[in-house]
Amino acid sequence: FTGNIYGDFRDPTYTLELFERLKGSVQFEMIGAVDAETKSKLDSHNVIYHGSKKLNETKEELKKADVLVNIGNRMLNQVPSKIFEYISYGKPIINVCKSRECPTQPYFSKHLYALNLFEEEALLDEQAEKLGEFIQNNYGSRMNCDEITKLYETCTPQYCAAQMKSIF
């Protein structure tokens, strides 16, 4: 995961619980700013926490990662821009949604190697099992540039520029 964790806007607790259930078989790493309370949660869940890094260093870490993780936020009227960077890597993505109405779902449902999970305590064990299976089955999988461009054509700069040009 890369990004900032702050307040109740983006709370990693559920995600940490999911990965805790995979302890020993998967290592969860985070890059970004967190408050002291979140830092103590990371320590207690055996997360490798890198702190904040420069953009080029973060990109290098994303290149090395086997699977990318998006921790959803509570806002239902915006899509985090980081998901498009994640998608561009073509790697498997785990999307942990705060709500079943999460606006990231339409994007990840197109992705060939993405898993949407939902923050529901009653489903924690079931979703942790899905998470483990997903990682095992998709480890090393990659979408190529042509596949990404085809699936996400309406998100490309060329498409957006063409739309603006047609309006002007």
Side-chain angles (χ1 to χ4, degrees):
F1 172 82
T2 62
N4 297 328
I5 302 291
Y6 40 89
D8 286 337
F9 185 69
R10 179 174 283 120
D11 181 355
T13 305
Y14 192 86
T15 303
L16 296 175
E17 291 295 331
L18 285 169
F19 278 92
E20 180 75 17
R21 282 161 169 73
L22 304 180
K23 190 186 271 187
S25 61
V26 173
Q27 184 61 59
F28 185 53
E29 298 185 41
M30 290 183 70
I31 298 171
V34 300
D35 58 26
E37 180 183 343
T38 301
K39 175 71 171 84
S40 68
K41 286 180 185 178
L42 300 181
D43 291 342
S44 69
H45 283 85
N46 197 31
V47 172
I48 295 176
Y49 175 58
H50 298 278
S52 294
K53 290 185 174 256
K54 293 179 181 176
L55 183 59
N56 62 330
E57 294 172 325
T58 301
K59 288 180 181 284
E60 285 304 313
E61 292 295 328
L62 288 170
K63 286 179 189 176
K64 292 189 295 187
D66 296 310
V67 176
L68 305 176
V69 177
N70 181 55
I71 299 173
N73 63 51
R74 297 196 186 284
M75 301 302 294
L76 297 179
N77 63 346
Q78 60 183 316
V79 176
S81 60
K82 99 169 95 205
I83 72 165
F84 300 105
E85 181 174 5
Y86 277 19
I87 290 166
S88 74
Y89 284 94
K91 296 181 176 200
I93 300 172
I94 297 155
N95 184 38
V96 183
C97 302
K98 296 278 182 207
S99 163
R100 292 215 176 251
E101 289 79 41
C102 183
T104 61
Q105 285 187 81
Y107 298 98
F108 289 128
S109 66
K110 289 191 221 182
H111 196 285
L112 300 180
Y113 308 108
L115 174 66
N116 288 310
L117 298 173
F118 303 95
E119 288 196 16
E120 296 177 16
E121 287 299 320
L123 298 178
L124 185 59
D125 289 329
E126 176 184 322
Q127 292 200 58
E129 187 175 322
K130 284 182 184 178
L131 172 61
E133 289 172 3
F134 176 81
I135 292 170
Q136 184 176 30
N137 294 337
N138 293 287
Y139 179 85
S141 298
R142 299 289 182 274
M143 289 173 40
N144 65 42
C145 187
D146 290 338
E147 290 172 317
I148 294 167
T149 301
K150 183 178 178 183
L151 291 172
Y152 296 96
E153 179 185 9
T154 60
C155 299
T156 63
Q158 296 82 358
Y159 181 87
C160 294
Q163 293 298 306
M164 291 191 305
K165 185 178 177 184
S166 73
I167 292 171
F168 296 135

